[in-house]
Amino acid sequence: MANFAVSASRLSTRLFRVSARAWVAVAFFTLLSGVGASVAQAATHTQQTPLAEPKPFEAQYRFEMRGWPSATITHQFTQEGNHWLSDMSFSVTVAKGAERSRFVVNEDSVHSLIYSSSYALFGIGETYQLEEAEMLLPDRQAALFELSRQAGNQGCVITSPCEINYLDHRGREEQFVYYLVQRGPISLPAGEYDAVTVALVDAEKPDRKLQLSFHPDFPGLVLSADYRREGRRETTLSLTHFQPQGGATP
């Protein structure tokens, strides 16, 4: 019985870690998917137009991971005084998770103030928090916002990509490169939207690629995400509901 309990505990821990990593991969955007002092450009990359101003909104996404039931992710992006709050959460029968970030938006960068996240599988979970003094780079949610508004403004192409650096949920630095895939409307469960689509690649793991589509006028709003490893689709996310606060849906 003791050996069975140990094995069950190890299995639960492994399942939790797999689930948490999948959530991380998408919520970082994921949802994934960095930036501020974090977006580095090659000398040939130039900003073409002013960056989009943040706007509050509410959104829902359908999140699907191979081998797991689909889940609904809710995303609220709101202004609180002189800072912005990005809050993502999901819940299914056996798992739940949440990420929350407060950050200041400057003219061409973001500054993280506080970040928290929590994940649980079968009632077993972990909680993380990063304070302002610990974050010399943007946290994952702040980075997602900044990437979404920078992506369409830079000459980042597959032969000359841009670099992004951000902190994961434990405060460890992550590094990726990204490049523009396409601009143009895409069809989603929530309707058809203009989109800027970029691909992110981990230089140390080139067999893994995350493709993200953003709304050009609503920084932080993910329209879709597709994460593949060795060419096989692992997770997807698609917008199912979008409501700007104080305005009509574009």
Side-chain angles (χ1 to χ4, degrees):
M1 181 64 72
N3 289 337
F4 174 79
V6 171
S7 298
S9 177
R10 288 175 178 170
L11 176 60
S12 295
T13 300
R14 181 176 180 276
L15 288 174
F16 165 73
R17 287 174 179 169
V18 171
S19 179
R21 284 197 299 268
W23 164 256
V24 165
V26 181
F28 131 71
F29 336 8
T30 333
L31 20 260
L32 121 176
S33 35
V35 265
S38 56
V39 176
Q41 298 172 276
T44 56
H45 298 159
T46 57
Q47 183 172 303
Q48 300 173 347
T49 58
L51 299 180
E53 293 293 327
K55 304 177 185 70
F57 63 81
E58 295 182 0
Q60 289 186 346
Y61 314 103
R62 183 172 66 237
F63 172 51
E64 296 180 287
M65 182 173 73
R66 187 170 56 85
W68 286 80
S70 62
T72 296
I73 295 175
T74 61
H75 187 190
Q76 292 186 318
F77 189 73
T78 55
Q79 186 172 18
E80 296 185 350
N82 65 348
H83 65 263
W84 290 82
L85 172 65
S86 182
D87 190 339
M88 277 188 174
S89 62
F90 82 101
S91 179
V92 293
T93 304
V94 298
K96 62 181 180 179
E99 285 197 348
R100 174 175 290 188
S101 169
R102 285 184 170 85
F103 53 88
V104 175
V105 178
N106 300 315
E107 182 177 351
D108 59 356
S109 63
V110 295
H111 176 69
S112 294
L113 300 175
I114 189 170
Y115 165 87
S116 62
S117 63
S118 60
Y119 313 96
L121 181 68
F122 299 121
I124 301 173
E126 296 183 34
T127 299
Y128 306 90
Q129 183 162 307
L130 301 175
E131 304 289 344
E132 181 179 8
E134 303 174 78
M135 295 186 286
L136 299 180
L137 293 173
D139 64 80
R140 191 163 51 211
Q141 286 289 321
L144 173 65
F145 167 85
E146 188 65 359
L147 174 62
S148 69
R149 71 172 187 160
Q150 294 273 10
N153 258 1
Q154 299 170 323
C156 307
V157 295
I158 190 169
T159 55
S160 181
C162 292
E163 297 178 359
I164 62 173
N165 305 286
Y166 67 98
L167 300 180
D168 72 3
H169 57 295
R170 294 178 183 268
R172 300 170 299 192
E173 183 176 351
E174 296 280 358
Q175 298 178 327
F176 286 79
V177 297
Y178 75 92
Y179 55 87
L180 182 68
V181 175
Q182 65 179 24
R183 301 172 187 265
I186 59 174
S187 296
L188 302 162
E192 186 172 282
Y193 293 88
D194 289 335
V196 176
T197 301
V198 296
L200 291 90
V201 180
D202 185 337
E204 297 182 355
K205 301 173 183 177
D207 62 319
R208 303 178 186 186
K209 183 171 71 173
L210 172 65
Q211 188 162 295
L212 291 167
S213 293
F214 298 110
H215 195 297
D217 299 325
F218 284 84
L221 177 65
V222 181
L223 297 177
S224 68
D226 184 293
Y227 174 63
R228 294 173 183 262
R229 183 170 59 183
E230 297 179 346
R232 183 171 62 179
R233 178 177 291 163
E234 297 286 335
T235 58
T236 61
L237 177 144
S238 56
L239 183 71
T240 58
H241 175 77
F242 172 53
Q243 181 60 55
Q245 293 183 11
T249 302

